[in-house]
């Protein structure tokens, strides 16, 4: 088998410069997508009263000052209001849900963010949408994926290329490397963003999203990284390439994720708007593997 160098890139915050107004738009779309799923399920759920009662208890003790109409705008370098959106109404979460048709769009967006804060992700480090699995409404990973892709696909309008990553991608293509995208977002949004930036998705062998990784495991979870490695291994086998992590390079704007990948034997690089730096982890990989094998 022949060796093949592979470069894998995160998309959001990596392909483009941050801060940008498109990030809060994306975060809003994700929360609203899950809120729509929640409302569709709660309408016909036999245990609706029980589920809403549990959420009412959480809502009563929730720090509502942190939930504003512009909760995610810190990601766009634009501060939102800090006042308590819910005011002194003293309504229960279930009462807001009962008036869903009358609330108005802004209120429902805030309620979507509120639900996201009250959910418990399905595993440490997993995406907040995985908390939908723990609401007791029989929601499946397929439900989450379907609603995410239907309602949380956005059109990126304000993003601009990260020139440092642009050079890395161009050099990798010139050197005959195989290019992949590995995102905790969705394929739909990556393709949308690439279109806005002027990249051709066909230049990339595969766009691997979190739904490809055990149905929704992120890069912050070992199970997600393991699933990603399995996908890369199968690609190599299918194309008669030697599978060797030493021939793989990984780029992400999240340094913690880069460190996790490094521990897993993947040469990693932290991407920022200023530069791209190699990331190493102090944990000896061989020693870690020995511990896992015990």
């Amino acid at each position: 088998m022949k060796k093949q160098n592979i470069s894998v890139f995160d998309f959001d915050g990596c392909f483009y410069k941050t801060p940008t107004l498109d990030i809060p738009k994306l975060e809003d779309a994700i929360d609203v997508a899950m809120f729509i799923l929640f409302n569709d399920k709660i309408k016909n759920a036999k245990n609706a009263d029980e589920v809403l009662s549990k959420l009412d208890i959480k809502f009563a003790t929730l720090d509502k000052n942190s939930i504003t109409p512009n909760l995610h705008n810190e990601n766009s370098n634009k501060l939102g209001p800090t006042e308590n959106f819910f005011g002194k109404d003293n309504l229960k979460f279930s009462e807001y849900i009962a008036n869903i048709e009358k609330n108005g769009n802004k209120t429902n967006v805030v309620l979507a963010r509120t639900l996201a804060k009250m959910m418990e992700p399905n595993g440490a480090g997993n995406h907040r949408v995985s908390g939908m699995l723990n609401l007791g409404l029989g929601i499946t990973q397929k439900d989450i994926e379907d609603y995410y892709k239907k309602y949380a696909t956005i059109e990126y309008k304000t993003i601009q290329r990260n020139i440092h990553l642009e050079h890395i991608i161009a050099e990798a293509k010139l050197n005959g490397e195989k290019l992949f995208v590995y995102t905790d977002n969705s394929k739909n949004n990556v393709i949308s963003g690439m279109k806005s930036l002027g990249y051709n998705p066909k230049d990339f062998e595969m766009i691997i999203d979190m739904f490809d990784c055990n149905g929704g495991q992120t890069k912050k979870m070992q199970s997600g990284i393991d699933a990603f490695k399995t996908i890369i291994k199968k690609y190599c086998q299918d194309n008669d390439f030697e599978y060797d992590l030493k021939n793989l390079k990984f780029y992400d704007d999240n340094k913690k994720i880069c460190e996790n990948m490094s521990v897993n034997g993947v040469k990693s690089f932290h991407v920022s708007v200023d530069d791209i730096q190699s990331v190493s982890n102090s944990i000896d990989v061989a020693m870690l593997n020995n511990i896992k094998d015990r």
Side-chain angles (χ1 to χ4, degrees):
M1 286 188 178
K2 56 186 177 181
K3 292 185 177 181
Q4 174 62 56
N5 291 328
I6 292 174
S7 285
V8 181
F9 307 94
D10 176 44
F11 183 75
D12 288 292
C14 195
F15 268 66
Y16 56 81
K17 295 187 290 186
T18 56
T20 172
L21 289 170
D22 280 324
I23 289 182
K25 181 169 67 175
L26 172 63
E27 298 293 346
D28 284 352
I30 293 170
D31 288 344
V32 169
M34 296 302 101
F35 190 58
I36 294 172
L37 172 57
F38 168 80
N39 280 289
D40 284 351
K41 291 291 185 179
I42 202 74
K43 289 175 184 176
N44 300 311
K46 294 181 179 180
N47 62 334
D49 290 342
E50 178 186 348
V51 171
L52 288 171
S53 178
K54 289 179 180 179
L55 290 173
D56 281 341
I57 293 172
K58 289 186 177 183
F59 184 71
T61 58
L62 191 66
D63 177 13
K64 300 176 186 64
N65 286 305
S66 65
I67 306 168
T68 69
N70 294 302
L71 178 67
H72 296 293
N73 272 10
E74 67 270 18
N75 292 317
S76 65
N77 207 25
K78 179 182 177 183
L79 297 177
T82 57
E83 76 275 8
N84 185 344
F85 178 84
F86 292 100
K88 299 179 180 179
D89 293 337
N90 291 322
L91 294 179
K92 297 178 180 179
F93 185 74
S94 58
E95 291 175 309
Y96 281 107
I97 298 301
N99 293 313
I100 197 73
E101 304 297 335
K102 302 177 183 178
N103 285 336
N105 184 61
K106 182 180 286 188
T107 298
N108 287 335
V109 170
V110 175
L111 288 173
R113 294 177 183 148
T114 303
L115 177 65
K117 276 186 168 289
M118 294 192 294
M119 293 191 304
E120 300 173 3
N122 191 37
N126 208 356
H127 198 289
R128 65 183 182 277
V129 302
S130 67
M132 299 293 291
L133 299 170
N134 301 321
L135 289 173
L137 292 173
I139 292 171
T140 67
Q141 279 285 6
K142 187 64 168 58
D143 291 328
I144 294 173
E145 180 177 359
D146 289 346
Y147 275 72
Y148 190 111
K149 291 181 176 179
K150 182 176 181 179
Y151 296 105
T153 298
I154 69 166
E155 181 182 354
Y156 291 79
K157 292 183 177 180
T158 65
I159 53 176
Q160 299 176 336
R161 286 194 184 197
N162 181 327
I163 192 70
H164 304 293
L165 194 73
E166 180 181 345
H167 290 160
I168 292 293
I169 292 173
E171 184 178 3
K173 286 173 62 179
L174 191 64
N175 293 336
E177 296 183 22
K178 300 297 183 183
L179 310 182
F180 289 75
V181 171
Y182 177 26
T183 178
D184 285 339
N185 200 340
S186 68
K187 290 184 182 68
N188 292 353
N189 278 329
V190 170
I191 292 172
S192 169
M194 282 186 174
K195 181 179 179 181
S196 295
L197 293 170
Y199 284 105
N200 187 353
K202 292 182 180 179
D203 287 339
F204 297 82
E205 299 298 308
M206 194 183 303
I207 297 172
I208 303 167
D209 67 19
M210 63 180 176
F211 300 112
D212 292 320
C213 297
N214 288 346
Q217 308 298 303
T218 70
K219 288 177 279 189
K220 294 180 181 179
M221 302 185 74
Q222 186 61 47
S223 56
I225 294 176
D226 289 342
F228 159 75
K229 288 162 69 175
T230 298
I231 291 171
I232 294 294
K233 182 177 182 179
K234 185 178 187 305
Y235 169 84
C236 290
Q237 291 173 340
D238 290 347
N239 290 277
D240 200 28
F241 297 139
E242 179 183 334
Y243 172 70
D244 190 341
L245 290 179
K246 294 178 182 178
N247 299 328
L248 191 152
K249 290 180 288 187
F250 172 76
Y251 298 83
D252 202 293
D253 66 308
N254 187 313
K255 195 169 185 179
K256 178 63 176 177
I257 289 175
C258 290
E259 291 171 351
N260 287 344
M261 295 295 282
S262 180
V263 168
N264 276 269
V266 178
K267 189 174 183 180
S268 301
F269 299 85
H270 177 242
V271 178
S272 71
V273 294
D274 299 316
D275 58 16
I276 296 177
Q277 295 186 350
S278 177
V279 173
S280 61
N281 195 291
S282 59
I283 300 176
D284 183 83
V285 175
M287 180 182 72
L288 184 71
N289 289 335
N290 287 335
I291 293 174
K292 288 181 179 178
D293 291 338
R294 290 175 185 171

